[in-house]
Each structure stands twice: as structure tokens, then as C-alpha cells.
């Protein structure tokens, strides 16, 4: 359908029909849904009539090819103009084949596999009838108390931007209209949702505009540059105004400056939430502020359908603003090919072949292996398949390893740690030892009995999935005391212990890192988690994951992150006093484990850092090279990380900033030259007047295995 035909269709629509297009309702409201049931109560409560549903523009949370075809067919039979529905769902890290949570995927530093994971999720979702996924979430995160850190790829704006691009490429492909195996992506949450005060979800966000632009906006911009079709508003405030009603943020920053011309959707209920935020007296004012701000679709509240017509009739809202929003929705439907094929990729016969296929499970197993991070190893790993293993802990036989936002994932179909280890060896005894948050004497006795004859103890520990994710915020970020007690009981046996951790946030690992001999951070690894962990602990896969969030020494440090600013009285400076410096008196300033950290079963060494010249100009970039050697006994992958520091800026600059990385595979004894090219535009930053440019002066380049352990060389930028 051409643009002229879309405009013609828009002209045929009544104002009521236009407004209904701007409303998104959950699946049970629609005829044809299997789980429709008696919805007259919810409809009446929300003030939704059958006519509104009949003209609604999009559906939230439907899945399954047969059901979506039924809903779409019934809708088209009753919709006067034959305008198809958009079906949207939260396909965050897999549809039914569940991949590791995004924070884990970030720790893979593998953009190719990340793109592949999104492509597989899109293929399963599309064949099941879904058109739009509410992903990727690219919010920069620095506070592990916040439950949704698991949905981000970490604390670095450059790395988050690279992953944002990879996810969008994977979900959308190159041409949505012809590639029915892809889905439209929706980047979220615009903007700065990852910085709530106190790490408490939905809470106030208050930061300078320079900080917003420097660290929080780049990943959204990267997703948009990759062609992301939708943006979701954040629950939080920006510049003191809730994002959903923030005209400057949405009209000026997002649309004018960042060039976004796609569909803007609210998060669940966020339009009406402007009332408790205190910027709208009632639903009518909330509707007014949201539509003026440019929100095209209102998710699961009814302020638009109740009040937009009245606002137009009172000349408070020009109908052209509503036309603009409706046209964007129609354009997305056209881009997805829904006017020609309203059922698009939905295919009940193909669905059973595609969803959870062997190839998809193989891909999630590979990514789970590359996402896990070896945090400690005192020569215990990899295990020998002849060793007798006692597998103990609340996650030993648990399918709760998929993590939050694994909507259609089945715990029953997830490979447990027990199942994974049994695929490698028969020398295994298993005991629960404790529950996630409780422990009994009987459980301890069972665990000790299981461990008595073992050569090594493998502990499967962590947070259940309800302890992170949306609204899963925690002030105490240690493992529950029941699990720390279990470690203490088993340590008395004086046997080697390996801890495998399942969690959605960086933890304070005191009581774990200091009391076990090896620690594997597995995060929530997904459907093939047990197999991936067995691959790692038995050495069939060499760990290559590296942290993308710093692990705090103590929650009192939070937020703690590698790319922080210095102070006028930095701890450890040559002329620093003993007391009157920026420090804690009772804990270190530095995190327990730094950004970029991770171990391997082999040893890599770095040498011979060289710059192609000592001076960079706008037209002459620097080539930076270093020799990387695998000095150990097995093949491995190393993430070579390049950071810079600007020694003197117009405003203060971070002590280090990641600018590039390479993932290098080397055989034992092999050496490679790793070369980066650093350009002047990579040294730019937002000045106090928000202009984005670089300053001449001295810089240091750092290359190494993490943000702390690096080699360095200085150079100058001349302009």
C-alpha cells in the first residue's frame, strides 16, 4: 500500500476510529482468543466498549500462530475499514528457546552470537504470529540493587551501543516487509530508566543533561541508527517530568535531534501514572500531556479513548496530532506487510518445527557457555570426568535457570545442572542442601552425607528468578544467608568446592569467593543452561566471558563503576594525605571484581604495546598494536580491551573509557598482533554547553584483559 493510500485510509477514519488505533489492550479483550473468558468486568472497569476493541490498533501478549490467526481474522471481519492488528510481546532473550539474560549475553562480548540469538528469537516469535518485540532494553546500569540490571548489557555506553545494534539487526533483519521471519524491534526505555535513585524500580531519575547525553543516550541512538522501528517510554522522570509526558524529551530530543520517525509507545500504564507522579490532576490532563509529547500508543490504560475526542472538541488538541500518530502506526503495519498479508509469518504447521528446534537449542547452549564468567579458579577446574562429584544446592535440580522475561520458556524443558553433569559422568551424587532462602538441619545432614565420599563439591547457588527482573529490587545483594550457611557447613569437610551462581545482578560475593576454590558466574543461562555449565566445568568449553558490570565489594559502594570521575583529593595520589582523601574508612574504594574481568583455563600475556605515532590529528588516526600470547596448555579466547583517558577536559573526564575491543582465539603457544585504530571522533565528549567535540592535549591509551589490568602509553591530540 502506497503512502497516498495510507493517507486516503486515514481520511476515511472517524475520530473515534483514529483514537482506538492508539490504544493497546491485552489479549483476553479480543474475540478469537482462547483465554478470552468473561472480560465484561475488566472492560467495564477500564471503560472499554466492544466498539473500541473492534477498532483497537494493537494487541499485547498474544502468542501461538493459531490463536493470533483467529484473533486477526475475527477482528478483520468486524473492523469497518479492514485495518489489521499489530501483535506485540516481550521477547527479550528468546521466545520459547530461552537464551541467557541480556546481562549475561553482554558478558560474552560476542556481537555475532548476540545477533544470532535475536534472529532465532524473531524466527520463533514470527512463526507464532508476533509482529513486534519489546526489546532490546539498552538502559545503562550502574546499581545492582535495581532488579532490571539483568535486562541490560551493562555499565558502559560504548559496549551497550554495540549490543543495541546487534540486537536490532538480529530482530529486524534488512527488510521487514519481505522477511516474515523477523519482527520489529522496540528499544526501551526512553530515557535513563536504568538510573533510579536507590536502585528502586520506577523511582526518581535526576541527572544533568550532560550526563544524560554523554552516557545514557548513546545506546538508544545506536539502536535508532540501526533502524529500530519503535521506542518505548520510560516510567521515570527526566528533567523533572515523567518521560511519558515529556514533550521536550520526546519531540525535541528523540524526534528532532535523534531523527526518530517511528512509533512511540508508553510502557504499561505509564500515561495514567502521571497522576500519582504529580504532573496531571486527572486522566484528561494525563492524556493531553502524553499526546502533546508525541506518545502514539497508550498501553493498557484508557485515557486516550476516554478523553482525546473531548480534548479535540475543546480545541486543546489539534486533530492533526492524532492523525500524525495514527499514520505512524499505519506505516508500521504497512512496513510489516500486514495490509497484504495480515497473518504475516504465523504458520501453525511450521511453528512446531521451528520453535525449540535442535539448531536453536544448540545456539543457546553455545551462547550460555560464552556468557558465563569464571571468577575464581584455584586449580580445581576443569574437573576430571573420573572424579566423584557431589552436586549440592537449591539449583542442582531446578529448572528456574531461565531468568525473568522468559515469558514462554518452560522450566520443565530447561536442562538442569544435574542433567548436564550426568551427560559427562556417572560419578555423581545430588543433594539440595537448602532452599533458596531457608535451610534445615535435615538438609544439611543430607548434604554432608552426599559430600562425604566425593572428590569435589559443586555448589549450585543463587537467586530465584523472582528476586530480580522488573520490581525485583534488593537492598541486600549477598546470597541469602541459608546458602552462605550451607557453604560454611560444607567447608568443614575440607574438600575442593566449586560454586556455580545463578543470578540476575552483580552480587556481593563475600562468603562465596573467599570460601570456595572456584566460582563460575552462570547468570540465568537459559534453556540449555545445565549442558552449558557442564561443558565449562569439565573443560569441553574454555571460559571466555568477561564482566560488563563491576561486582561491588560491599553494597555501600553502590553505584560503583569503572568509568567514574576522579576527585580533587583522589586516594593513592602521590601527594595524598592519609585521611583527607575521597575514601571509605571501612572498605576499599575499588569494586571486588572490575569491569571486563574474567578468567580462562589458559594464560594470556600482553607485550610490546606500540603506537604508530606519538601525535594524533583530526585527519591522522593512531594505529595501536600489542602482542597477545597464549602461554597456557589449551586453546582459548581472550577479550582484548582498549581504553583511553583524557587528562584535561573542559569538564571532568572519566578515569578510563572503553573505546574498542577484539575477541581473539589462540592455540597453545600461539602469538598474535592485535591492532586497533583510534580516531579523533572517538575522543569527543559533551562540553558544558553540550557541544560534542574533542580537546587537544594529552591522552593515555590502555590495553589489557580488563579495566584494571592494562598496559599503557601516552599520546597527544593536536588540532
Amino acid at each position: 500500500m502506497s503512502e497516498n493510500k495510507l493517507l486516503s485510509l486515514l481520511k476515511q477514519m472517524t475520530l473515534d476510529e483514529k483514537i482506538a488505533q492508539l490504544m493497546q489492550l491485552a489479549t483476553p479483550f479480543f474475540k478469537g482468543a482462547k483465554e478470552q473468558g468473561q472480560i465484561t468486568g475488566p472492560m467495564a472497569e477500564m471503560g472499554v466498549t466492544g466498539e473500541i476493541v473492534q477498532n483497537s490498533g494493537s494487541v499485547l501478549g498474544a502468542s501461538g500462530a493459531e490463536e493470533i490467526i483467529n484473533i486477526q481474522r475475527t477482528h478483520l471481519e468486524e473492523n469497518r475499514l479492514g485495518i489489521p492488528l499489530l501483535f506485540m510481546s516481550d521477547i527479550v532473550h528468546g521466545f520459547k528457546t530461552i537464551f541467557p539474560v541480556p546481562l549475561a549475553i553482554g558478558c560474552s562480548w560476542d556481537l555475532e552470537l548476540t545477533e544470532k540469538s535475536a534472529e532465532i528469537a524473531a524466527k520463533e516469535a514470527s512463526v507464532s504470529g508476533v509482529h513486534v518485540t519489546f526489546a532490546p532494553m539498552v538502559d545503562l546500569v550502574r546499581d545492582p540493587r535495581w532488579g532490571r540490571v539483568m535486562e541490560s548489557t551493562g555499565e558502559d555506553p560504548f559496549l551497550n551501543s554495540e549490543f543495541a545494534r546487534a540486537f536490532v539487526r538480529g530482530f529486524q533483519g534488512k527488510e521487514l516487509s519481505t522477511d516474515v521471519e523477523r519482527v520489529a524491534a522496540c528499544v526501551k526505555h526512553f530515557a535513563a530508566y536504568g538510573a533510579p535513585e536507590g536502585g528502586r524500580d520506577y523511582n526518581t531519575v535526576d541527572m544533568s543533561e550532560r550526563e544524560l547525553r554523554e552516557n545514557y543516550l548513546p545506546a538508544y541512538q545506536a539502536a535508532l541508527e540501526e533502524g529500530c522501528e519503535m521506542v518505548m517510554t520510560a516510567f521515570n522522570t527526566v528533567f523533572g517530568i515523567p518521560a511519558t509526558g515529556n514533550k521536550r524529551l520526546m519531540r525535541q530530543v528523540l524526534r528532532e535531534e535523534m531523527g526518530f520517525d517511528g512509533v512511540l509507545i508508553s510502557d504499561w500504564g505509564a500515561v495514567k501514572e502521571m497522576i500519582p507522579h504529580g504532573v496531571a490532576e486527572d486522566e484528561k490532563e494525563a492524556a493531553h500531556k502524553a499526546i502533546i509529547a508525541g506518545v502514539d500508543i497508550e498501553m493498557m490504560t484508557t485515557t486516550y479513548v476516554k478523553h482525546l475526542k473531548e480534548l479535540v472538541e475543546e480545541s486543546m488538541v489539534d486533530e492533526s496530532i492524532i492523525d500524525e500518530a495514527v499514520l505512524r502506526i499505519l506505516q508500521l503495519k504497512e512496513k510489516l506487510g500486514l495490509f497484504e498479508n495480515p497473518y504475516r509469518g504465523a504458520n501453525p504447521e511450521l511453528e512446531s518445527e521451528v520453535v525449540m528446534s535442535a539448531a536453536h537449542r544448540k545456539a543457546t547452549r553455545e551462547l550460555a557457555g560464552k556468557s558465563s564468567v569464571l571468577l575464581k579458579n584455584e586449580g580445581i577446574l576443569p574437573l576430571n570426568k573420573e572424579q566423584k562429584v557431589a552436586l549440592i544446592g537449591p539449583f542442582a535440580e531446578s529448572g528456574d535457570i531461565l531468568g525473568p522475561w522468559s515469558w514462554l520458556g518452560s522450566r520443565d524443558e530447561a536442562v538442569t545442572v544435574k542433567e548436564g553433569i550426568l551427560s559427562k559422568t556417572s560419578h555423581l551424587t545430588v543433594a539440595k542442601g537448602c532452599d533458596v532462602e531457608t535451610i534445615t538441619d535435615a538438609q544439611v545432614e543430607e548434604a554432608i552425607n552426599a559430600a562425604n565420599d566425593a572428590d569435589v563439591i559443586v555448589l549450585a547457588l543463587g537467586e530465584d528468578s523472582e528476586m530480580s527482573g522488573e520490581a525485583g529490587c534488593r537492598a541486600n545483594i549477598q546470597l541469602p544467608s541459608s546458602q552462605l550457611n550451607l557453604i560454611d557447613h560444607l567447608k568443614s569437610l575440607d574438600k575442593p568446592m566449586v560454586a556455580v551462581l545463578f543470578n540476575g545482578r552483580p552480587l556481593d560475593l563475600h562468603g562465596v569467593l573467599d570460601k570456595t576454590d572456584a566460582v563460575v558466574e552462570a547468570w540465568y543461562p537459559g534453556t540449555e543452561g545445565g549442558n552449558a555449565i557442564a561443558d565449562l566445568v569439565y573443560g569441553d568449553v574454555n571460559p571466555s566471558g568477561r564482566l560488563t558490570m563491576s561486582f561491588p565489594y560491599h553494597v555501600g559502594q553502590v553505584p560503583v563503576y569503572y568509568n567514574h570521575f576522579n576527585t580533587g583529593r583522589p586516594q593513592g595520589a602521590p601527594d595524598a594525605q592519609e585521611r583527607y582523601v575521597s575514601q571509605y574508612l571501612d572498605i576499599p574504594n575499588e569494586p571486588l571484581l572490575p569491569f571486563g574481568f574474567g578468567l580462562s583455563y589458559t594464560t594470556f600475556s600482553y607485550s610490546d604495546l606500540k603506537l604508530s605515532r606519538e601525535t594524533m590529528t583530526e585527519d591522522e588516526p593512531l594505529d595501536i598494536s600489542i602482542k597477545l600470547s597464549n602461554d597456557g596448555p589449551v586453546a582459548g579466547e581472550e577479550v582484548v580491551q582498549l581504553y583511553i583517558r583524557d587528562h584535561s577536559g573542559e569538564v571532568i573526564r572519566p578515569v578510563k573509557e572503553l573505546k574498542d575491543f577484539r575477541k581473539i582465539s589462540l592455540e597453545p603457544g600461539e602469538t598474535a598482533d592485535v591492532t586497533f585504530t583510534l580516531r579523533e571522533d572517538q575522543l569527543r565528549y559533551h562540553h558544558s554547553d553540550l557541544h560534542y567535540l574533542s580537546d587537544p592535549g594529552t591522552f593515555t591509551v590502555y590495553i589489557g584483559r580488563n579495566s584494571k589490568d592494562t598496559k599503557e602509553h601516552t599520546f597527544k591530540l593536536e588540532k
Side-chain angles (χ1 to χ4, degrees):
M1 186 179 288
S2 68
E3 189 73 6
N4 286 336
K5 288 185 178 179
L6 289 180
L7 290 169
S8 175
L9 180 60
L10 180 63
K11 288 179 181 178
Q12 296 175 59
M13 298 174 72
T14 67
L15 181 56
D16 286 330
E17 287 172 333
K18 293 175 187 176
I19 292 169
Q21 277 291 309
L22 309 186
M23 182 176 189
Q24 180 167 98
L25 290 168
T27 308
F29 284 87
F30 292 86
K31 294 180 180 179
K34 291 179 182 177
E35 298 178 5
Q36 182 181 9
Q38 296 295 319
I39 61 168
T40 52
M43 286 178 67
E45 184 179 331
M46 292 182 69
V48 175
T49 65
E51 184 179 356
I52 290 171
V53 175
Q54 180 179 319
N55 290 299
S56 180
S58 58
V59 184
L60 173 65
S63 71
E66 184 178 344
E67 176 165 69
I68 284 178
I69 288 171
N70 287 340
I71 294 171
Q72 187 79 285
R73 181 187 295 117
T74 304
H75 174 80
L76 290 172
E77 288 170 356
E78 298 187 353
N79 184 271
R80 183 176 72 89
L81 296 172
I83 300 174
L85 290 163
L86 273 170
F87 290 86
M88 308 188 193
S89 293
D90 289 288
I91 316 301
V92 175
H93 55 110
F95 180 73
K96 191 164 176 61
T97 305
I98 303 301
F99 286 84
V101 292
L103 185 59
I105 292 175
C107 293
S108 74
W109 297 63
D110 193 317
L111 301 176
E112 185 176 340
L113 266 180
T114 298
E115 182 176 338
K116 184 69 175 177
S117 75
E119 181 183 347
I120 288 171
K123 188 173 184 177
E124 292 194 356
S126 180
V127 77
S128 302
V130 176
H131 305 142
V132 178
T133 176
F134 294 132
M137 188 188 102
V138 302
D139 301 314
L140 186 136
V141 292
R142 291 172 168 173
D143 190 336
R145 294 174 298 179
W146 190 48
R148 293 190 84 165
V149 298
M150 51 68 55
E151 204 177 339
S152 168
T153 49
E155 69 187 44
D156 182 76
F158 166 73
L159 198 59
N160 283 5
S161 297
E162 294 298 293
F163 278 106
R165 294 180 188 277
F167 279 121
V168 173
R169 287 195 302 268
F171 285 131
Q172 293 191 174
K174 293 181 179 179
E175 184 53 62
L176 277 173
S177 61
T178 56
D179 191 350
V180 298
E181 293 187 346
R182 306 295 179 120
V183 296
C186 175
V187 67
K188 60 186 187 183
H189 306 81
F190 197 77
Y193 183 45
E197 288 185 358
R200 198 173 76 240
D201 215 347
Y202 321 118
N203 202 16
T204 302
V205 171
D206 189 11
M207 67 177 64
S208 70
E209 184 166 356
R210 202 193 69 79
E211 173 70 7
L212 176 72
R213 291 178 180 272
E214 187 77 1
N215 289 311
Y216 289 84
L217 293 189
Y220 306 113
Q221 181 71 64
L224 300 184
E225 289 173 358
E226 209 62 46
C228 191
E229 294 290 348
M230 287 184 63
V231 172
M232 181 183 288
T233 69
F235 287 117
N236 55 274
T237 55
V238 180
F239 311 141
I241 301 170
T244 308
N246 197 319
K247 181 179 179 181
R248 182 186 166 213
L249 180 68
M250 299 305 176
R251 295 279 186 185
Q252 180 183 321
V253 176
L254 178 62
R255 294 209 183 273
E256 293 179 21
E257 295 182 30
M258 299 175 72
F260 178 63
D261 61 359
V263 175
L264 180 63
I265 187 171
S266 81
D267 208 334
W268 182 297
V271 174
K272 190 173 178 180
E273 287 173 15
M274 281 190 274
I275 300 172
H277 264 298
V279 298
E281 286 195 5
D282 51 31
E283 291 187 24
K284 182 177 179 181
E285 187 176 4
H288 181 257
K289 290 196 169 185
I291 197 69
I292 294 299
V295 175
D296 301 318
I297 298 178
E298 178 183 13
M299 184 193 294
M300 285 303 292
T301 50
T302 55
T303 71
Y304 277 10
V305 294
K306 288 180 180 177
H307 299 290
L308 281 188
K309 187 173 185 179
E310 180 185 0
L311 288 166
V312 170
E313 291 169 348
E314 293 174 355
S315 300
M316 293 181 67
V317 171
D318 194 290
E319 190 170 349
S320 64
I321 293 178
I322 295 173
D323 290 348
E324 173 189 294
V326 174
L327 183 59
R328 282 194 284 262
I329 296 166
L330 297 178
Q331 287 169 335
L332 179 57
K333 293 179 179 183
E334 167 60 18
K335 190 172 289 190
L336 287 162
L338 294 178
F339 287 101
E340 288 72 31
N341 179 11
Y343 309 114
R344 201 170 180 267
N347 187 323
E349 293 76 27
L350 193 58
E351 185 177 20
S352 60
E353 298 176 22
V354 169
V355 175
M356 288 280 282
S357 69
H360 293 180
R361 295 189 73 131
K362 180 181 177 182
T364 189
R365 180 173 181 168
E366 182 181 5
L367 186 50
K370 289 181 179 291
S371 297
S372 298
V373 185
L374 182 61
L375 302 181
K376 180 181 181 180
N377 187 21
E378 299 291 344
I380 303 304
L381 296 177
L383 301 179
N384 184 311
K385 293 176 183 177
E386 298 305 313
Q387 286 178 294
K388 291 185 288 184
V389 174
L391 174 63
I392 299 171
F395 289 89
E397 299 182 80
S398 174
D400 187 15
I401 59 172
L402 305 180
W405 297 113
S406 51
W407 172 46
L408 290 175
S410 168
R411 295 183 183 182
D412 292 338
E413 294 180 274
V415 179
T416 66
V417 182
K418 176 185 176 181
E419 291 167 336
I421 291 179
L422 282 174
S423 72
K424 306 288 185 183
T425 182
S426 60
H427 303 298
L428 180 68
T429 56
V430 181
K432 195 172 188 181
C434 67
D435 291 295
V436 173
E437 297 188 86
T438 60
I439 188 169
T440 66
D441 292 342
Q443 287 175 322
V444 171
E445 183 179 358
E446 180 193 18
I448 290 174
N449 288 338
N452 270 330
D453 293 330
D455 298 315
V456 62
I457 299 168
V458 175
L459 293 162
L461 310 171
E463 304 175 313
D464 68 54
S465 57
E466 290 298 312
M467 295 169 78
S468 62
E470 184 170 355
C473 307
R474 300 185 66 215
N476 179 358
I477 56 172
Q478 286 189 293
L479 280 182
S481 59
S482 60
Q483 298 179 53
L484 297 177
N485 288 341
L486 177 64
I487 293 173
D488 288 339
H489 283 296
L490 293 173
K491 188 167 179 60
S492 66
L493 300 178
D494 197 27
K495 292 177 182 285
M497 287 199 295
V498 178
V500 179
L501 303 176
F502 300 91
N503 47 286
R505 56 166 53 83
L507 298 171
D508 171 351
L509 289 178
H510 285 96
V512 182
L513 204 65
D514 51 329
K515 294 185 178 181
T516 59
D517 302 285
V519 179
V520 176
E521 176 54 86
W523 307 106
Y524 295 113
T527 302
E528 286 286 321
N531 281 331
I533 290 160
D535 290 340
L536 285 166
V537 298
Y538 281 99
D540 296 325
V541 170
N542 190 350
S544 61
R546 303 292 183 263
L547 299 178
T548 58
M549 278 190 79
S550 306
F551 271 49
Y553 185 90
H554 186 275
V555 72
Q557 293 175 318
V558 169
V560 60
Y561 47 95
Y562 89 93
N563 49 351
H564 59 86
F565 296 135
N566 219 337
T567 78
R569 293 188 175 188
Q571 187 185 50
D575 57 350
Q577 298 183 40
E578 182 178 343
R579 179 180 178 88
Y580 295 103
V581 293
S582 180
Q583 65 183 356
Y584 298 103
L585 296 179
D586 52 348
I587 59 172
N589 285 7
E590 298 300 315
L592 184 66
L593 298 169
F595 176 87
F597 179 83
L599 302 176
S600 170
Y601 293 151
T602 193
T603 304
F604 294 97
S605 62
Y606 292 73
S607 62
D608 203 17
L609 173 60
K610 292 181 179 178
L611 276 60
S612 58
R613 63 181 65 85
E614 299 296 317
T615 301
M616 175 195 286
T617 68
E618 291 181 75
D619 300 322
E620 294 180 307
L622 286 181
D623 287 333
I624 304 163
S625 65
I626 197 163
K627 288 188 182 298
L628 177 70
S629 300
N630 182 350
D631 302 327
V634 294
E637 284 186 299
E638 174 75 336
V639 179
V640 183
Q641 303 162 39
L642 182 145
Y643 301 85
I644 64 104
R645 180 176 184 180
D646 184 346
H647 285 262
S648 178
E650 189 259 347
V651 298
I652 55 175
R653 305 298 302 129
V655 296
K656 277 180 187 165
E657 297 175 90
L658 182 71
K659 292 297 179 182
D660 209 345
F661 66 94
R662 299 278 189 278
K663 199 163 189 181
I664 307 295
S665 298
L666 294 178
E667 294 296 319
E670 186 179 2
T671 296
D673 290 316
V674 183
T675 301
F676 299 91
T677 298
L678 188 68
R679 307 177 310 276
E680 176 273 334
D681 64 281
Q682 292 173 279
L683 307 181
R684 297 175 189 174
Y685 65 95
H686 289 88
H687 286 56
S688 57
D689 61 3
L690 301 183
H691 282 92
Y692 190 65
L693 48 96
S694 62
D695 296 326
T698 302
F699 291 79
T700 297
V701 60
Y702 306 87
I703 296 183
R705 57 176 53 91
N706 57 63
S707 59
K708 185 177 181 182
D709 187 2
T710 59
K711 294 188 177 298
E712 62 186 74
H713 201 300
T714 59
F715 67 92
K716 288 187 179 293
L717 172 65
E718 291 184 351
K719 298 182 75 175

